[in-house]
Amino acid sequence: MQLIPRKKAKGLKSFAVLVDPDKVTPDGIAELTAKCTEAKVDYLFLGGSLVITNHLDEVIQQIKATCDIPVVLFPGSPSQVSRYADALLYLSVISGRNAELLIGQHVISAVPVKKAAWK
């Protein structure tokens, strides 16, 4: 996953598509990944504000079975972490005043991330 720093060092840009796991279907994943492959997407960011479905792992596995594009989780809460993803992208709402949204959710998700044994 060193692609971003290497591209940046060369002055190149990356192209990412954000996928909401609550809004994709198994049939839609194959179509989506085909279009992303054709468009030369560098990363598939996976996340949403709620992620109320319980099929995050399955969505990631289906994506990985249909293309070679790295899956980067864009978690909004600790329940949106999966060992099947290639990387995590945490963002903080710096302009916010709620400490829970600034760093609290990130700290809570540290245990599942460590248990996932990411390498």
Side-chain angles (χ1 to χ4, degrees), residues 51-72:
V51 185
I52 55 175
T53 58
N54 293 331
H55 66 277
L56 181 63
D57 287 344
E58 290 83 9
V59 169
I60 296 169
Q61 290 173 316
Q62 284 182 307
I63 289 172
K64 294 175 91 40
T66 57
C67 72
D68 293 327
I69 302 170
V71 176
V72 180

PDB file of all heavy atoms in Angstrom, residues 51-72:
ATOM      1  N   VAL A  51     -23.490   2.401   8.016  1.00  0.00           N
ATOM      2  CA  VAL A  51     -23.171   0.990   7.791  1.00  0.00           C
ATOM      3  C   VAL A  51     -24.004   0.143   8.757  1.00  0.00           C
ATOM      4  O   VAL A  51     -23.511  -0.409   9.730  1.00  0.00           O
ATOM      5  CB  VAL A  51     -21.668   0.689   7.903  1.00  0.00           C
ATOM      6  CG1 VAL A  51     -21.387  -0.760   7.534  1.00  0.00           C
ATOM      7  CG2 VAL A  51     -20.860   1.608   6.999  1.00  0.00           C
ATOM      8  N   ILE A  52     -25.300   0.085   8.447  1.00  0.00           N
ATOM      9  CA  ILE A  52     -26.229  -0.629   9.322  1.00  0.00           C
ATOM     10  C   ILE A  52     -26.392  -2.092   8.950  1.00  0.00           C
ATOM     11  O   ILE A  52     -26.988  -2.861   9.684  1.00  0.00           O
ATOM     12  CB  ILE A  52     -27.612   0.066   9.342  1.00  0.00           C
ATOM     13  CG1 ILE A  52     -28.160   0.222   7.927  1.00  0.00           C
ATOM     14  CG2 ILE A  52     -27.529   1.400  10.036  1.00  0.00           C
ATOM     15  CD1 ILE A  52     -29.561   0.787   7.855  1.00  0.00           C
ATOM     16  N   THR A  53     -25.858  -2.482   7.806  1.00  0.00           N
ATOM     17  CA  THR A  53     -25.946  -3.887   7.420  1.00  0.00           C
ATOM     18  C   THR A  53     -24.816  -4.663   8.082  1.00  0.00           C
ATOM     19  O   THR A  53     -23.823  -4.096   8.502  1.00  0.00           O
ATOM     20  CB  THR A  53     -25.847  -4.042   5.892  1.00  0.00           C
ATOM     21  OG1 THR A  53     -24.608  -3.476   5.466  1.00  0.00           O
ATOM     22  CG2 THR A  53     -26.995  -3.362   5.189  1.00  0.00           C
ATOM     23  N   ASN A  54     -24.966  -5.957   8.154  1.00  0.00           N
ATOM     24  CA  ASN A  54     -23.964  -6.805   8.796  1.00  0.00           C
ATOM     25  C   ASN A  54     -23.119  -7.560   7.777  1.00  0.00           C
ATOM     26  O   ASN A  54     -22.572  -8.599   8.087  1.00  0.00           O
ATOM     27  CB  ASN A  54     -24.645  -7.813   9.729  1.00  0.00           C
ATOM     28  CG  ASN A  54     -25.287  -7.142  10.915  1.00  0.00           C
ATOM     29  OD1 ASN A  54     -24.839  -6.095  11.351  1.00  0.00           O
ATOM     30  ND2 ASN A  54     -26.338  -7.723  11.427  1.00  0.00           N
ATOM     31  N   HIS A  55     -23.031  -7.046   6.577  1.00  0.00           N
ATOM     32  CA  HIS A  55     -22.313  -7.788   5.558  1.00  0.00           C
ATOM     33  C   HIS A  55     -21.048  -7.082   5.056  1.00  0.00           C
ATOM     34  O   HIS A  55     -20.641  -7.285   3.925  1.00  0.00           O
ATOM     35  CB  HIS A  55     -23.256  -8.151   4.403  1.00  0.00           C
ATOM     36  CG  HIS A  55     -23.767  -6.976   3.626  1.00  0.00           C
ATOM     37  ND1 HIS A  55     -24.827  -6.228   4.030  1.00  0.00           N
ATOM     38  CD2 HIS A  55     -23.350  -6.435   2.470  1.00  0.00           C
ATOM     39  CE1 HIS A  55     -25.036  -5.270   3.157  1.00  0.00           C
ATOM     40  NE2 HIS A  55     -24.148  -5.373   2.188  1.00  0.00           N
ATOM     41  N   LEU A  56     -20.400  -6.307   5.889  1.00  0.00           N
ATOM     42  CA  LEU A  56     -19.190  -5.595   5.487  1.00  0.00           C
ATOM     43  C   LEU A  56     -18.107  -6.569   5.020  1.00  0.00           C
ATOM     44  O   LEU A  56     -17.505  -6.377   3.955  1.00  0.00           O
ATOM     45  CB  LEU A  56     -18.672  -4.732   6.635  1.00  0.00           C
ATOM     46  CG  LEU A  56     -17.417  -3.905   6.341  1.00  0.00           C
ATOM     47  CD1 LEU A  56     -17.683  -2.886   5.243  1.00  0.00           C
ATOM     48  CD2 LEU A  56     -16.939  -3.209   7.604  1.00  0.00           C
ATOM     49  N   ASP A  57     -17.863  -7.622   5.794  1.00  0.00           N
ATOM     50  CA  ASP A  57     -16.850  -8.606   5.406  1.00  0.00           C
ATOM     51  C   ASP A  57     -17.167  -9.228   4.048  1.00  0.00           C
ATOM     52  O   ASP A  57     -16.281  -9.385   3.203  1.00  0.00           O
ATOM     53  CB  ASP A  57     -16.734  -9.721   6.452  1.00  0.00           C
ATOM     54  CG  ASP A  57     -16.056  -9.265   7.733  1.00  0.00           C
ATOM     55  OD1 ASP A  57     -15.409  -8.204   7.735  1.00  0.00           O
ATOM     56  OD2 ASP A  57     -16.187  -9.989   8.737  1.00  0.00           O
ATOM     57  N   GLU A  58     -18.432  -9.566   3.843  1.00  0.00           N
ATOM     58  CA  GLU A  58     -18.829 -10.189   2.581  1.00  0.00           C
ATOM     59  C   GLU A  58     -18.653  -9.235   1.404  1.00  0.00           C
ATOM     60  O   GLU A  58     -18.209  -9.650   0.321  1.00  0.00           O
ATOM     61  CB  GLU A  58     -20.280 -10.681   2.642  1.00  0.00           C
ATOM     62  CG  GLU A  58     -20.482 -11.877   3.549  1.00  0.00           C
ATOM     63  CD  GLU A  58     -20.633 -11.500   5.031  1.00  0.00           C
ATOM     64  OE1 GLU A  58     -20.752 -10.302   5.355  1.00  0.00           O
ATOM     65  OE2 GLU A  58     -20.616 -12.412   5.860  1.00  0.00           O
ATOM     66  N   VAL A  59     -18.988  -7.965   1.607  1.00  0.00           N
ATOM     67  CA  VAL A  59     -18.819  -6.979   0.541  1.00  0.00           C
ATOM     68  C   VAL A  59     -17.346  -6.870   0.163  1.00  0.00           C
ATOM     69  O   VAL A  59     -16.993  -6.883  -1.022  1.00  0.00           O
ATOM     70  CB  VAL A  59     -19.387  -5.598   0.960  1.00  0.00           C
ATOM     71  CG1 VAL A  59     -18.984  -4.514  -0.030  1.00  0.00           C
ATOM     72  CG2 VAL A  59     -20.907  -5.655   1.092  1.00  0.00           C
ATOM     73  N   ILE A  60     -16.480  -6.800   1.164  1.00  0.00           N
ATOM     74  CA  ILE A  60     -15.042  -6.702   0.888  1.00  0.00           C
ATOM     75  C   ILE A  60     -14.563  -7.935   0.140  1.00  0.00           C
ATOM     76  O   ILE A  60     -13.831  -7.829  -0.855  1.00  0.00           O
ATOM     77  CB  ILE A  60     -14.245  -6.519   2.193  1.00  0.00           C
ATOM     78  CG1 ILE A  60     -14.608  -5.188   2.854  1.00  0.00           C
ATOM     79  CG2 ILE A  60     -12.740  -6.586   1.921  1.00  0.00           C
ATOM     80  CD1 ILE A  60     -14.084  -5.046   4.270  1.00  0.00           C
ATOM     81  N   GLN A  61     -14.974  -9.105   0.598  1.00  0.00           N
ATOM     82  CA  GLN A  61     -14.545 -10.338  -0.054  1.00  0.00           C
ATOM     83  C   GLN A  61     -15.055 -10.419  -1.497  1.00  0.00           C
ATOM     84  O   GLN A  61     -14.333 -10.886  -2.380  1.00  0.00           O
ATOM     85  CB  GLN A  61     -14.988 -11.550   0.759  1.00  0.00           C
ATOM     86  CG  GLN A  61     -14.215 -11.663   2.065  1.00  0.00           C
ATOM     87  CD  GLN A  61     -14.753 -12.752   2.965  1.00  0.00           C
ATOM     88  OE1 GLN A  61     -15.945 -12.894   3.141  1.00  0.00           O
ATOM     89  NE2 GLN A  61     -13.849 -13.536   3.526  1.00  0.00           N
ATOM     90  N   GLN A  62     -16.269  -9.965  -1.745  1.00  0.00           N
ATOM     91  CA  GLN A  62     -16.795  -9.967  -3.115  1.00  0.00           C
ATOM     92  C   GLN A  62     -16.015  -9.005  -4.002  1.00  0.00           C
ATOM     93  O   GLN A  62     -15.715  -9.319  -5.153  1.00  0.00           O
ATOM     94  CB  GLN A  62     -18.275  -9.581  -3.118  1.00  0.00           C
ATOM     95  CG  GLN A  62     -19.181 -10.687  -2.648  1.00  0.00           C
ATOM     96  CD  GLN A  62     -20.628 -10.267  -2.714  1.00  0.00           C
ATOM     97  OE1 GLN A  62     -21.007  -9.232  -2.182  1.00  0.00           O
ATOM     98  NE2 GLN A  62     -21.440 -11.069  -3.375  1.00  0.00           N
ATOM     99  N   ILE A  63     -15.694  -7.833  -3.459  1.00  0.00           N
ATOM    100  CA  ILE A  63     -14.900  -6.868  -4.229  1.00  0.00           C
ATOM    101  C   ILE A  63     -13.557  -7.481  -4.591  1.00  0.00           C
ATOM    102  O   ILE A  63     -13.124  -7.445  -5.740  1.00  0.00           O
ATOM    103  CB  ILE A  63     -14.718  -5.551  -3.450  1.00  0.00           C
ATOM    104  CG1 ILE A  63     -16.046  -4.784  -3.374  1.00  0.00           C
ATOM    105  CG2 ILE A  63     -13.629  -4.690  -4.099  1.00  0.00           C
ATOM    106  CD1 ILE A  63     -16.025  -3.575  -2.459  1.00  0.00           C
ATOM    107  N   LYS A  64     -12.888  -8.070  -3.604  1.00  0.00           N
ATOM    108  CA  LYS A  64     -11.566  -8.638  -3.828  1.00  0.00           C
ATOM    109  C   LYS A  64     -11.597  -9.838  -4.771  1.00  0.00           C
ATOM    110  O   LYS A  64     -10.630 -10.107  -5.463  1.00  0.00           O
ATOM    111  CB  LYS A  64     -10.912  -8.985  -2.498  1.00  0.00           C
ATOM    112  CG  LYS A  64     -10.621  -7.725  -1.661  1.00  0.00           C
ATOM    113  CD  LYS A  64     -10.093  -8.029  -0.314  1.00  0.00           C
ATOM    114  CE  LYS A  64      -8.617  -8.091  -0.237  1.00  0.00           C
ATOM    115  NZ  LYS A  64      -7.797  -7.152  -0.950  1.00  0.00           N
ATOM    116  N   ALA A  65     -12.737 -10.532  -4.825  1.00  0.00           N
ATOM    117  CA  ALA A  65     -12.874 -11.671  -5.741  1.00  0.00           C
ATOM    118  C   ALA A  65     -13.097 -11.227  -7.183  1.00  0.00           C
ATOM    119  O   ALA A  65     -12.849 -11.993  -8.111  1.00  0.00           O
ATOM    120  CB  ALA A  65     -14.032 -12.567  -5.294  1.00  0.00           C
ATOM    121  N   THR A  66     -13.541  -9.991  -7.379  1.00  0.00           N
ATOM    122  CA  THR A  66     -13.866  -9.533  -8.728  1.00  0.00           C
ATOM    123  C   THR A  66     -12.872  -8.528  -9.305  1.00  0.00           C
ATOM    124  O   THR A  66     -12.996  -8.152 -10.471  1.00  0.00           O
ATOM    125  CB  THR A  66     -15.279  -8.921  -8.772  1.00  0.00           C
ATOM    126  OG1 THR A  66     -15.365  -7.846  -7.832  1.00  0.00           O
ATOM    127  CG2 THR A  66     -16.333  -9.966  -8.446  1.00  0.00           C
ATOM    128  N   CYS A  67     -11.900  -8.070  -8.489  1.00  0.00           N
ATOM    129  CA  CYS A  67     -10.905  -7.130  -9.018  1.00  0.00           C
ATOM    130  C   CYS A  67      -9.671  -7.113  -8.113  1.00  0.00           C
ATOM    131  O   CYS A  67      -9.677  -7.668  -7.025  1.00  0.00           O
ATOM    132  CB  CYS A  67     -11.481  -5.723  -9.151  1.00  0.00           C
ATOM    133  SG  CYS A  67     -11.752  -4.856  -7.589  1.00  0.00           S
ATOM    134  N   ASP A  68      -8.625  -6.458  -8.592  1.00  0.00           N
ATOM    135  CA  ASP A  68      -7.375  -6.345  -7.828  1.00  0.00           C
ATOM    136  C   ASP A  68      -7.185  -4.966  -7.209  1.00  0.00           C
ATOM    137  O   ASP A  68      -6.095  -4.636  -6.747  1.00  0.00           O
ATOM    138  CB  ASP A  68      -6.182  -6.651  -8.747  1.00  0.00           C
ATOM    139  CG  ASP A  68      -6.165  -8.099  -9.186  1.00  0.00           C
ATOM    140  OD1 ASP A  68      -6.585  -8.969  -8.399  1.00  0.00           O
ATOM    141  OD2 ASP A  68      -5.737  -8.358 -10.328  1.00  0.00           O
ATOM    142  N   ILE A  69      -8.220  -4.156  -7.198  1.00  0.00           N
ATOM    143  CA  ILE A  69      -8.125  -2.805  -6.641  1.00  0.00           C
ATOM    144  C   ILE A  69      -8.100  -2.903  -5.115  1.00  0.00           C
ATOM    145  O   ILE A  69      -8.954  -3.555  -4.523  1.00  0.00           O
ATOM    146  CB  ILE A  69      -9.316  -1.932  -7.099  1.00  0.00           C
ATOM    147  CG1 ILE A  69      -9.360  -1.856  -8.633  1.00  0.00           C
ATOM    148  CG2 ILE A  69      -9.226  -0.544  -6.494  1.00  0.00           C
ATOM    149  CD1 ILE A  69     -10.621  -1.233  -9.188  1.00  0.00           C
ATOM    150  N   PRO A  70      -7.110  -2.264  -4.457  1.00  0.00           N
ATOM    151  CA  PRO A  70      -7.055  -2.314  -2.999  1.00  0.00           C
ATOM    152  C   PRO A  70      -8.308  -1.713  -2.358  1.00  0.00           C
ATOM    153  O   PRO A  70      -8.818  -0.689  -2.802  1.00  0.00           O
ATOM    154  CB  PRO A  70      -5.825  -1.470  -2.649  1.00  0.00           C
ATOM    155  CG  PRO A  70      -5.003  -1.449  -3.891  1.00  0.00           C
ATOM    156  CD  PRO A  70      -5.982  -1.520  -5.026  1.00  0.00           C
ATOM    157  N   VAL A  71      -8.780  -2.384  -1.301  1.00  0.00           N
ATOM    158  CA  VAL A  71      -9.957  -1.927  -0.554  1.00  0.00           C
ATOM    159  C   VAL A  71      -9.472  -1.227   0.709  1.00  0.00           C
ATOM    160  O   VAL A  71      -8.798  -1.820   1.548  1.00  0.00           O
ATOM    161  CB  VAL A  71     -10.885  -3.106  -0.189  1.00  0.00           C
ATOM    162  CG1 VAL A  71     -12.052  -2.625   0.671  1.00  0.00           C
ATOM    163  CG2 VAL A  71     -11.389  -3.799  -1.438  1.00  0.00           C
ATOM    164  N   VAL A  72      -9.836   0.044   0.828  1.00  0.00           N
ATOM    165  CA  VAL A  72      -9.447   0.861   1.965  1.00  0.00           C
ATOM    166  C   VAL A  72     -10.708   1.192   2.747  1.00  0.00           C
ATOM    167  O   VAL A  72     -11.623   1.818   2.221  1.00  0.00           O
ATOM    168  CB  VAL A  72      -8.756   2.166   1.514  1.00  0.00           C
ATOM    169  CG1 VAL A  72      -8.359   3.012   2.709  1.00  0.00           C
ATOM    170  CG2 VAL A  72      -7.542   1.861   0.634  1.00  0.00           C
TER     171      VAL A  72
END
